[in-house]
């Protein structure tokens, strides 16, 4: 039986042996109480995450078998807000499973950096997680460890993903109750976990409430100096009112979160679906809405248009009373169908006013004026700058008034005989309206071009659909919207500690630059992404070279060489003597290890230089953001940023993070190749293998 140790390098080699050639283990991503997570690549080149569960995690008899059974259950999950599990396996005492790799930080890291999160973003996250839990509960699986560290936000799509079902519980048959051992993380576990009460899906609802409370308030509802105090507060102390800590949190959101924290499970939401309904609908995922409510979305708007058109036709163009009544009857057909559908639907606990708002949502392609209270939840109208909103209101007024004038003109002319022909008057009115709208459109177009929007972005900003989509995510568009873009304002005076964090700061600061500085900001964002990609590649190489290097082996080789008597073979040439035959392979192996060490040192220096340059770009951007872009001091900063992005300059000596190895040579521009260590005599200089 293999003995598994906890050292990162040794565990990584053992894991590589366990997965064989199916996956290439690249580097360590994180470590927790149950094991570690590694980044890996499968045979198709996809990045995956491999979680290792160490033997000490299975302290209860039969726990390993239950874990393997539950992993097989989780592998069946197929939900957009749950990290997928592809496969699992074991080798002697080592259990592992392979899951989807998410390029993003857990909420725990967001909270560490920002303290707390905007309430509306918290609502969106809770809705996604409630949907994921409802899906899992429908398959009789309880997560039991919902907490900030187990919720990821994808960098590219913003998708919220629930991960780590390592202690999930399957509720079916003999496994319908817990085994009597409390599982989870203190502070997020429900009160019933510390009593003899049965654990069911409402335990996850409690944990989700703690998570929501922490995201909004920046702290958990209960704390304690030790585990006993924390358990006592969890079981006996009511949670402090969320609105007494954060005054600007919406009352409905605070109420839902506080209800999740009820001590008695019967006082919480009946299930995750009802919790999601109480939090509000998620427009971007209509598939997860009740089907009858999906059918209702926007129906009221078309009903209103239908009845208005037929009623106007019947009242203004037809003289015969019977024909008018017939047209009015046709006008009532669709409203009657609408009323019957509302009466017959099963809303799943949704308030009637919310059903009405959904029914009168505008179409997704709509970009003009619409009553604010009837807009979709993820509509960006309220965040549009003033000029785009004025442009859209003017166009809406023009598109409504002109057909109305044309339609009503004959009726008015027939009723006012003395007025004569109204055609010239109507033409003049329409001409004035058209000129006014054209003026507003030209003003909006000029404003958009001065804001550095391209043609496609200008059209989107002035007349395009206001529904949330990736078309609004460009740096220029996001910078103009009057909203926090689902993030709190970053602290640009805080020095980033990691390359990924530095990239995030640069990307979020660059769109804020205006005028002549905007181009420098965009170049900086692109360069920061490229630097981060190079740093990630170097991290992989450093990890591989670290495994291949061995200082203790080098010391042993040098000791063995010193123990040999001086004489033949000192220069590595085999002259046939015994000493020469022993010395030559030792020298060759020692030289190979020295080449690996030299390569490793060079890779570390290059990584240090790249991160230092990335930090220097961020520092200069911060300086540039604090001064007038047209000031004389701005141009030298922009020139410095351009040189840094092109690799013509490196970081200043006092800005370089970390300490370079003693005596290490300075590294040139980013285009320079990593130096190769000298090869053996008579051998070509080739890179050291990475494995």
């Amino acid at each position: 039986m293999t003995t598994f140790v906890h050292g990162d390098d040794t565990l990584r080699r053992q894991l590589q042996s366990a997965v064989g050639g199916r996956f290439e283990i690249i580097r360590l991503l994180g470590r927790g109480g149950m094991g570690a997570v590694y980044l890996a690549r499968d045979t198709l080149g996809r990045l995956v995450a491999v979680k290792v569960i160490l033997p000490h995690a299975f302290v209860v008899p039969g726990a390993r078998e239950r874990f393997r059974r539950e992993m097989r259950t989780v592998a069946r999950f197929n939900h957009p807000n749950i990290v997928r599990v592809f496969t699992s396996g074991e080798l002697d005492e080592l259990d592992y499973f392979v899951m989807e790799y998410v390029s993003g930080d857990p909420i725990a890291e967001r909270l560490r950096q920002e303290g707390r999160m905007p309430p509306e973003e918290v609502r969106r996250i809770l809705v996604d997680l409630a949907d994921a839990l409802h899906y899992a509960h429908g398959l009789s699986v309880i997560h039991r460890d919902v907490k900030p560290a187990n919720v990821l936000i994808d960098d590219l799509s913003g998708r919220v993903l629930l991960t780590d079902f390592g202690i999930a519980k399957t509720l079916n048959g003999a496994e319908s109750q817990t085994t009597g051992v409390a599982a989870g993380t203190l502070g997020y576990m429900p009160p019933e976990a510390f009593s003899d009460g049965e654990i069911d899906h409402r335990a996850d609802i409690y944990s989700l409430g703690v998570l929501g409370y922490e995201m909004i308030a920046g702290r958990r509802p209960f704390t304690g100096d030790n585990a006993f105090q924390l358990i006592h507060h969890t079981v006996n102390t009511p949670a402090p009112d969320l609105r007494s800590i954060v005054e600007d949190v919406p009352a409905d959101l605070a109420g839902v979160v506080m209800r999740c924290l009820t001590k008695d499970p019967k006082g919480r939401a009946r299930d995750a679906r009802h919790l999601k309904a109480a939090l509000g609908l998620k427009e971007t995922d209509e598939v997860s809405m009740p089907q009858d409510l999906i059918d209702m979305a926007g129906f009221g708007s078309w009903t209103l248009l239908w009845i208005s058109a037929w009623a106007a036709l019947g009242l203004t163009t037809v003289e015969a009373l019977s024909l008018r009544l017939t047209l009015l009857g046709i006008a009532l057909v669709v409203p009657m169908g609408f009323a019957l559908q509302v009466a017959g639907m099963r809303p799943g606990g949704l308030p009637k006013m919310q059903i009405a708002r959904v029914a009168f949502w505008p179409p997704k392609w709509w970009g003009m004026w619409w009553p604010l209270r009837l807009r979709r939840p993820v509509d960006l109208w309220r965040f549009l700058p003033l000029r785009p909103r004025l442009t859209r209101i003017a166009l809406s007024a023009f598109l409504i008034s002109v057909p109305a004038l044309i339609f009503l003109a004959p009726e008015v002319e027939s009723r006012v005989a003395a007025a004569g022909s109204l055609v010239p008057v109507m033409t003049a009115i329409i001409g004035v309206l058209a000129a006014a709208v054209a003026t507003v459109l030209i003003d909006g177009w000029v404003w958009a071009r001065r804001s550095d929007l391209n043609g496609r972005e200008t059209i989107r900003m002035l007349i395009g659909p206001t529904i949330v989509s990736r078309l609004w995510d460009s740096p220029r568009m996001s910078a103009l919207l009057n909203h926090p873009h689902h993030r709190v304002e970053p602290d640009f005076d805080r020095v980033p500690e990691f390359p990924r964090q530095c990239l995030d700061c640069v990307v979020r600061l660059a769109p804020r630059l205006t005028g002549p500085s905007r181009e420098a900001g965009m170049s900086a964002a692109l360069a920061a992404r490229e630097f981060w990609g190079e740093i990630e590649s170097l991290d992989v190489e450093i990890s591989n070279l670290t495994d291949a290097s061995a200082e203790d082996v080098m010391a042993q080789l040098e000791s063995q060489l010193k123990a040999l008597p001086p004489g033949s073979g000192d220069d590595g040439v085999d002259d046939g003597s015994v000493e020469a035959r022993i010395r030559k392979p030792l020298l060759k192996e020692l030289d190979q290890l020295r080449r690996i060490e030299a390569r490793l040192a060079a890779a570390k220096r290059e990584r240090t230089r790249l991160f230092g340059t990335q930090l220097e770009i961020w520092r200069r951007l911060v300086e540039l953001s604090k001064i007038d872009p047209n000031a004389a001091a701005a141009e030298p900063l922009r020139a410095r940023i351009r040189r840094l992005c092109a690799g013509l300059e490196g970081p200043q000596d006092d800005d370089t993070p970390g300490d370079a190895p003693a005596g290490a040579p300075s590294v040139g521009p980013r285009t320079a190749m990593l130096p190769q260590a000298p090869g053996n005599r008579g051998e070509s200089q080739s890179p050291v293998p990475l494995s």
Side-chain angles (χ1 to χ4, degrees), residues 24 50 55 62 87 193 232 240 256 258 310 327 341 414 448 572 648:
E24 175 196 357
V50 182
T87 186
H232 172 78
V256 172
M258 295 303 296
W310 282 102
L327 293 178
Q341 186 169 357
S414 64
L648 301 178

Side-chain angles (χ1 to χ4, degrees), residues 38-167:
Y38 287 87
L39 179 65
R41 184 179 290 107
D42 65 9
T43 54
L44 297 177
R46 297 178 302 181
L47 292 177
V48 296
V50 182
K51 180 163 186 177
V52 186
I53 307 298
L54 296 175
H56 74 266
F58 304 115
V59 295
V60 180
R64 185 186 303 277
E65 288 69 25
R66 284 194 299 274
F67 166 78
R68 292 172 178 173
R69 180 168 57 252
E70 287 159 7
M71 278 300 100
R72 287 193 292 270
T73 300
V74 174
R76 301 200 310 266
F77 287 179
N78 184 15
H79 189 277
N81 299 116
I82 297 179
V83 173
R84 292 175 294 166
V85 174
F86 298 131
T87 186
S88 63
E90 63 271 351
L91 177 65
D92 293 334
E93 295 182 357
L94 183 69
D95 285 77
Y96 67 90
F97 58 93
V98 182
M99 55 187 176
E100 175 184 4
Y101 171 65
V102 180
S103 177
D105 294 328
I107 287 179
E109 179 63 18
R110 283 279 307 276
L111 293 175
R112 188 189 70 81
Q113 294 183 23
E114 303 171 1
R116 63 187 190 93
M117 300 166 65
E120 288 308 314
E121 182 181 7
V122 173
R123 186 194 299 272
R124 179 181 68 87
I125 292 172
L126 293 179
V127 167
D128 285 347
L129 293 177
D131 197 49
L133 290 174
H134 176 65
Y135 176 86
H137 296 165
L139 297 177
S140 300
V141 176
I142 305 174
H143 189 283
R144 296 203 298 182
D145 201 19
V146 178
K147 60 183 181 181
N150 289 338
V151 180
L152 304 174
I153 300 181
D154 188 270
D155 280 339
L156 300 178
S157 64
R159 189 165 50 114
V160 178
L161 293 108
L162 181 63
T163 185
D164 200 348
F165 281 76
I167 59 172

Side-chain angles (χ1 to χ4, degrees), residues 324-480:
R324 279 191 174 186
L325 293 176
T326 301
L327 293 178
L328 290 176
I330 295 175
L332 293 175
V333 170
V334 173
M336 289 176 61
F338 173 64
L340 290 173
Q341 186 169 357
V342 171
M345 72 178 297
R346 296 182 298 277
L350 292 175
K352 292 295 183 182
M353 287 303 297
Q354 190 168 4
I355 298 174
R357 283 197 295 268
V358 172
F360 284 93
W361 278 351
K364 288 185 177 181
W365 48 264
W366 187 258
M368 300 295 109
W369 179 86
W370 198 267
L372 188 60
R373 290 184 59 84
L374 299 181
R375 285 189 173 271
R376 295 172 183 261
V378 290
D379 196 291
L380 293 173
W381 175 271
R382 71 188 67 186
F383 303 124
L384 290 176
L386 178 61
R387 277 190 172 86
R389 271 194 282 179
L390 290 177
T391 301
R392 293 166 186 265
I393 292 173
L395 275 174
S396 302
F398 181 78
L399 294 175
I400 293 173
S401 60
V402 170
L405 288 172
I406 296 175
F407 188 77
L408 294 175
E411 179 70 13
V412 174
E413 189 172 0
S414 64
R415 293 179 183 275
V416 187
S421 177
L422 294 178
V423 173
V425 176
M426 299 295 290
T427 303
I429 294 174
I430 293 175
V432 170
L433 291 175
V437 170
T439 302
V440 173
L441 278 173
I442 292 172
D443 178 69
W445 185 272
V446 172
W447 169 85
R449 302 304 289 179
R450 286 179 177 174
S451 300
D452 293 335
L453 298 183
N454 59 33
R456 183 180 181 185
E457 291 171 337
T458 297
I459 294 173
R460 180 79 182 189
M461 180 64 75
L462 295 180
I463 62 174
T466 53
I467 195 79
V468 167
S469 72
R470 300 192 69 174
L471 295 176
W472 290 97
D473 290 341
S474 71
R476 288 184 290 264
M477 299 276 278
S478 297
L480 291 172

Side-chain angles (χ1 to χ4, degrees), residues 118 121 472-474 478-479 481-488 508:
E121 182 181 7
W472 290 97
D473 290 341
S474 71
S478 297
L481 294 178
N482 300 319
H483 75 117
H485 198 57
H486 303 304
R487 302 294 290 255
V488 299
R508 292 164 66 185

